[in-house]
């Protein structure tokens, strides 16, 4: 047997144990870095997933169409809805059908039903004309300058004091005779041949009733008058019944942008506003950013906390600055520091803002201790002292002022 083999056999068990211990020690010391690396990888993975989620949401973002069904919606129980009025009309034995399609509204109104709608902002003039021409009776519950001009019922008028105080019908239409007082939102000057009800002293009326090609049109701004939260006020409920509960079935058209024909007025989506290359470019930049984060993040090790070599107390800094000021015999600088500290302490004592001006601090202190304001203005923000004697006198007077303010504050707290 060779010397090498003998040496291996002689030292094998001991060296094997040492090697095993060394391997275990290395494994035990290597475990924490692997755990830290795993945590770092999980953290970066979370960031990547978050960025991808944000990117997907951005790519899917579109401009939402505004809702047109909130005000005077007969199915809405909210404050601005008209569900209470619709139920009240049904209690009078009148059938109320709510439709969301122009086709259904036109078909129902041509069969003898009363067509009720708010200002059809999503319809063009031609579509509005086609919708109204087929009905025998139309009630418009909200107004606009466009509808006034299109239907030729009159023009807008300035509101008067009579309208806010309350108006009665005062017209020859019998269904409104027992309505009582209402406080309209808008009034109009009726055109020739148009009946105006609930008129003020100037003849401007809140309700316009006219004929257009055989269609009777009632025109009123009732967005608040006939809403759920205002229906019980004054004669609002009676006005709603006079408008809608006249025996004929009611077809209540609730418009929307989807049912409208004014496509040019619909807001464009984000994809329509941006060029076609923007989305791929954003996605490419996002992927490049993720790659850079992964590349650079793998180079970073665990954070190491390192304490500062020196800790300087605030009092030592203050004393050092004071010694430098005394050595330089800089009385103006020292006076400025003393005044700044005095103003800060007085501001706290007088419940002022930390950013209060010297004049505000002086005024508050003068009011607290009952001295003329001018003297404190000069004391807190006057000219700097010329020498050490004036500096000492200034410091003494400032200390007396703080003591006086403190005494006055303590007296006010103890006063019964």
């Amino acid at each position: 047997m060779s010397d090498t083999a003998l040496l291996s056999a002689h030292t094998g068990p001991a060296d094997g144990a040492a090697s095993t211990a060394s391997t275990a020690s290395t494994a035990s010391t290597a475990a924490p870095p692997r755990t830290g690396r795993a945590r770092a990888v999980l953290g970066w993975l979370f960031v990547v997933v978050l960025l991808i989620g944000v990117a997907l949401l951005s790519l899917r973002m579109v401009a939402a169409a505004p809702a047109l069904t909130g005000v005077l919606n007969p199915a809405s129980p909210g404050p601005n809805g008209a569900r209470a009025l619709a139920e009240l009309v049904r209690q009078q034995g009148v059938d109320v059908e709510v439709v969301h399609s122009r086709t259904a509204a036109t078909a129902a109104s041509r069969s003898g039903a009363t067509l009720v709608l708010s200002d059809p902002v999503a319809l063009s003039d031609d579509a509005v004309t086609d919708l109204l021409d087929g009905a025998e009776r139309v009630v418009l519950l909200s107004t606009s300058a466009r509808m006034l001009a299109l239907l030729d019922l009159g023009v807008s008028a300035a509101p008067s004091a009579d309208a806010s105080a309350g108006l009665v019908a005062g017209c020859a239409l019998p269904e409104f005779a027992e309505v009582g007082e209402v406080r309209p939102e808008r009034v109009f000057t009726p055109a020739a041949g148009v009946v105006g009800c609930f008129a003020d002293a100037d003849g401007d009326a809140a309700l316009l009733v006219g004929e257009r090609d055989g269609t009777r049109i009632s025109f009123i701004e009732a967005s608040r008058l006939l809403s759920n939260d205002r229906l019980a006020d004054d004669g609002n409920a009676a006005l709603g019944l006079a408008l809608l509960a006249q025996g004929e079935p009611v077809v209540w058209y609730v418009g929307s942008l989807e049912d409208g024909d004014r496509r040019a007025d619909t807001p464009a989506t984000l994809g329509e506003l941006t060029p076609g290359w923007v989305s791929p470019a954003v996605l490419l930049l996002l992927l490049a950013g993720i790659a850079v984060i992964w590349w650079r993040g793998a180079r970073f090790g665990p954070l190491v906390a390192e304490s500062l070599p020196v800790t300087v107390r605030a009092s030592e800094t203050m004393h050092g600055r004071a010694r430098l000021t005394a050595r330089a015999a800089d009385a103006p600088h020292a006076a400025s520091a003393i005044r700044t500290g005095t103003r800060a302490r007085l501001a706290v004592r007088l419940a002022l803002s930390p950013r209060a001006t010297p004049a505000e601090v002086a005024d508050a202190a003068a009011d607290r201790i009952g001295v003329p304001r001018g003297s404190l203005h000069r004391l807190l923000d006057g000219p700097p002292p010329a020498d050490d004697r004036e500096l000492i006198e200034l410091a003494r007077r400032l200390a007396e002022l703080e003591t006086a303010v403190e005494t006055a504050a303590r007296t006010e707290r103890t006063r019964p």
Side-chain angles (χ1 to χ4, degrees):
M1 185 179 292
S2 63
D3 295 339
T4 304
L6 290 173
L7 180 61
S8 299
H10 179 70
T11 60
D15 290 346
S19 176
T20 303
S22 175
T23 303
S25 175
T26 304
S28 63
T29 56
R34 290 180 182 175
T35 304
R37 179 60 60 87
R39 291 178 180 175
V41 169
L42 289 177
W44 285 114
L45 206 55
F46 173 74
V47 173
V48 170
V49 172
L50 182 62
L51 290 175
I52 292 176
V54 171
L56 293 177
L57 287 177
S58 300
L59 292 177
R60 293 177 61 87
M61 183 177 61
V62 294
L68 301 178
T69 60
V71 178
L72 292 184
N73 184 352
S76 172
N80 296 326
R83 184 172 180 177
L85 176 60
E87 294 298 329
L88 194 61
V89 173
R90 290 189 179 101
Q91 292 176 7
Q92 303 301 313
V94 177
D95 183 36
V96 178
E97 180 184 2
V98 180
V99 297
H100 300 272
S101 167
R102 281 184 295 153
T103 305
T106 302
S109 61
R110 286 178 179 175
S111 63
T114 299
L115 177 62
V116 180
L117 70 159
S118 299
D119 181 27
V121 295
L123 302 182
S124 64
D125 292 350
D126 293 338
V128 172
T129 302
D130 294 339
L131 178 64
L132 302 186
D133 284 347
E136 297 181 2
R137 190 167 179 268
V138 176
V139 178
L140 277 164
L141 296 180
S142 63
T143 63
S144 65
R146 179 177 78 109
M147 294 302 296
L148 270 176
L150 180 64
L151 301 178
D152 195 22
L153 295 175
V155 295
S156 297
S160 63
D162 296 341
S164 59
L167 299 175
V168 294
C171 60
L173 300 178
E175 60 265 31
F176 301 106
E178 303 296 332
V179 168
E181 287 189 352
V182 296
R183 292 176 172 81
E185 305 167 42
R186 294 181 62 187
V187 292
F188 313 93
T189 301
V194 176
V195 178
C197 296
F198 303 96
D200 57 16
D202 299 328
D204 299 326
L207 172 63
L208 302 179
V209 181
E211 296 282 340
R212 183 179 184 275
D213 297 333
T215 301
R216 178 181 175 178
I217 300 176
S218 301
F219 188 84
I220 187 173
E221 179 57 56
S223 299
R224 288 191 302 171
L225 286 177
L226 302 182
S227 61
N228 291 331
D229 61 341
R230 296 291 185 90
L231 189 63
D233 296 346
D234 302 323
N236 296 348
L239 174 62
L241 293 177
L243 287 170
L244 306 184
Q246 295 303 314
E248 302 91 349
V250 171
V251 176
W252 202 315
Y253 171 62
V254 180
S256 63
L257 287 179
E258 290 76 10
D259 189 55
D261 62 339
R262 300 177 67 176
R263 299 302 179 187
D265 295 340
T266 58
T269 63
L270 183 62
E272 296 172 348
L273 294 175
T274 55
W277 55 268
V278 171
S279 296
V282 169
L283 186 58
L284 183 61
L285 289 176
L286 179 63
L287 293 176
I290 294 173
V292 170
I293 290 173
W294 183 266
W295 170 54
R296 298 299 298 176
R299 299 170 60 94
F300 297 151
L303 297 178
V304 177
E306 183 179 357
S307 59
L308 293 175
V310 178
T311 301
V312 181
R313 296 179 179 177
S315 60
E316 294 181 5
T317 304
M318 180 185 65
H319 293 158
R321 291 180 178 176
R323 284 192 293 269
L324 289 175
T325 303
R327 186 180 304 171
D330 191 358
H333 186 269
S336 176
I338 296 173
R339 279 172 167 160
T340 300
T342 300
R343 288 196 298 265
R345 290 187 294 274
L346 288 177
V348 173
R349 177 57 59 190
L350 297 171
L352 299 177
S353 170
R355 294 185 295 273
T357 62
E360 294 173 347
V361 175
D363 292 343
D367 293 340
R368 179 62 63 88
I369 63 178
V371 299
R373 296 185 177 184
S375 59
L376 295 189
H377 283 197
R378 183 177 180 82
L379 178 61
L380 291 175
D381 196 28
D387 50 24
D388 291 346
R389 183 182 60 81
E390 294 183 2
L391 175 63
I392 294 173
E393 178 63 21
L394 175 64
R396 183 186 62 79
R397 295 180 60 192
L398 289 174
E400 292 176 352
L401 174 60
E402 288 192 53
T403 302
V405 171
E406 174 67 24
T407 302
R410 189 180 300 111
T411 302
E412 289 183 0
R413 288 197 302 267
T414 60
R415 184 177 301 168

